[in-house]
Amino acid sequence: MFNALLVEKDEESGLAAASVKQISPDALPDGEVTVSVNYSTVNYKDGLCMSPKGGGLVRSYPHIPGVDYAGTVEQSSDERYKPGDKVVLTGWRVGEAHWGGYSQKANARADWLVPLPQGIDTRQAMAVGTAGFTAMLAVMALEDHGLQPGHGPVLVTGAAGGVGSVATAILAHLGYEVAAVTGRPETADYLKSLGATTIVPRDELNETTKRPLESETWAGCIDAVGGAMLARVLGQMKYGASVAAVGLAGGAGLPATVIPFLLRGVNLLGIDSVMQPYDNRVRAWKRIATDLPMDKLEAMIHPAILSDLPQLGADILQGQVKGRVVVDVNA
């Protein structure tokens, strides 16, 4: 038997609640690889999966959330993995449609796993998690479309969140000038400690404008907000610059015009981390191991244990989680 955070639905009320329970290994779903989980983390999707109605993500109950986890291979029927290997899992709808990492053990399909590269351990991997993995995918996409240090400031919206925090640290480490957007003035010192050179109050970009183009300001952008802010930012991009869209904290709508694309050659790049192909996952994790300063990563970490998760799930849905939560599932 082992511990897991189990979400169970009350048949009378139809609402779900999460608590730490003892689970039998026989209850785990099938998978080629059994992982002894070391750490997990907390993402917005985890908050939804722990909510009373499952956020529309949970297919059936009982359910174990946790869209990310890192650990050690216990046994494997796939030749790519052997006992003792360190692995990380993000995406593939694990923790939503499939049981996830809020558990001391997990079974996974071999195709879902990525070997941890040298230079990063399982705790650090979960300080990175889907949020940091997405941030690196966004940085790589901007670079693949021509962004280089010296081109001008790179804007990061939602900078104090998980994706924004890691993106800020990576960009600063690579030599970029980072302008960090936040609606929480108290996070300014935190963002500067990650390497941000300019703090942009959220209200400055939340104001809508009827002008389809403004002064060319940003050489690149990693946007976690979407909505009106993304529309505004598109009109401020330099000629040929790109915006990597990673989130929709400000809404799924895009009240924009095509003018920035037609007159300035601006690129809007969609970043998906869930179904990302294996080769690009490996590339991203290798870049994380070399281009994310681990001292900055350490400054983002807030430790937690399984019993903390229901409250943390509620907090992240309210935008009250800063940086990266690392959950020790064995504590």
Side-chain angles (χ1 to χ4, degrees):
M1 302 290 285
F2 57 89
N3 291 331
L5 187 85
L6 198 67
V7 184
E8 299 174 287
K9 180 181 282 188
D10 180 77
E11 295 302 327
E12 187 172 326
S13 67
L15 301 178
S19 61
V20 179
K21 295 286 181 71
Q22 285 264 295
I23 304 293
S24 166
D26 295 337
L28 289 174
D30 292 337
E32 297 99 342
V33 184
T34 299
V35 179
S36 176
V37 180
N38 301 145
Y39 297 96
S40 187
T41 184
V42 180
N43 297 287
Y44 193 84
K45 284 183 178 180
D46 296 315
L48 291 173
C49 290
M50 288 184 280
S51 67
K53 295 185 177 180
L57 298 177
V58 181
R59 289 183 176 178
S60 62
Y61 294 93
H63 179 67
I64 297 176
V67 303
D68 300 338
Y69 60 82
T72 307
V73 173
E74 224 175 64
Q75 59 184 29
S76 173
S77 62
D78 187 283
E79 62 182 13
R80 288 172 287 180
Y81 297 100
K82 62 183 185 300
D85 286 350
K86 303 297 182 182
V87 292
V88 60
L89 186 148
T90 62
W92 301 112
R93 300 210 64 203
V94 170
E96 308 168 47
H98 314 284
W99 278 15
Y102 291 169
S103 174
Q104 291 177 314
K105 292 187 187 299
N107 282 350
R109 297 179 188 172
D111 288 341
W112 293 346
L113 298 171
V114 176
L116 265 188
Q118 292 292 322
I120 186 168
D121 61 31
T122 53
R123 178 175 176 272
Q124 292 166 332
M126 284 300 95
V128 175
T130 284
F133 174 61
T134 303
M136 181 53 84
L137 290 174
V139 171
M140 294 191 318
L142 292 177
E143 291 178 339
D144 289 346
H145 283 78
L147 180 66
Q148 296 178 17
H151 284 185
V154 179
L155 191 71
V156 178
T157 69
V163 178
S165 293
V166 180
T168 298
I170 292 171
L171 288 166
H173 180 72
L174 292 172
Y176 292 97
E177 179 186 349
V178 182
V181 182
T182 181
R184 295 180 276 170
E186 68 275 11
T187 63
D189 288 343
Y190 165 72
L191 291 168
K192 288 180 178 177
S193 75
L194 297 180
T197 52
T198 307
I199 304 299
V200 180
R202 181 171 58 197
D203 290 345
E204 288 188 13
L205 292 174
N206 264 348
E207 296 177 4
T208 57
T209 177
K210 293 183 178 180
R211 291 179 292 164
L213 293 176
E214 299 182 71
S215 297
E216 296 183 46
T217 305
W218 315 114
C221 173
I222 296 177
D223 175 61
V225 176
M229 185 178 293
L230 173 56
R232 181 82 185 271
V233 167
L234 287 169
Q236 299 178 350
M237 301 305 295
K238 291 189 174 188
Y239 187 90
S242 300
V243 178
V246 302
L248 42 65
L254 186 58
T257 76
V258 298
I259 299 300
F261 309 120
L262 302 182
L263 298 187
R264 285 194 185 153
V266 171
N267 305 297
L268 181 56
L269 312 175
I271 306 299
D272 167 65
S273 64
V274 177
M275 307 304 289
Q276 192 69 210
Y278 177 81
D279 288 347
N280 212 39
R281 287 177 181 271
V282 172
R283 177 187 171 211
W285 280 102
K286 286 181 178 178
R287 286 288 305 273
I288 287 166
T290 58
D291 294 337
L292 174 57
M294 291 303 161
D295 59 330
K296 304 296 186 186
L297 184 67
E298 192 65 34
M300 303 177 202
I301 293 175
H302 301 276
I305 60 176
L306 285 177
S307 59
D308 296 329
L309 287 167
Q311 183 59 53
L312 286 167
D315 290 346
I316 200 167
L317 295 182
Q318 297 299 317
Q320 298 301 312
V321 173
K322 181 184 75 173
R324 303 292 300 134
V325 175
V326 174
V327 183
D328 184 347
V329 302
N330 298 294

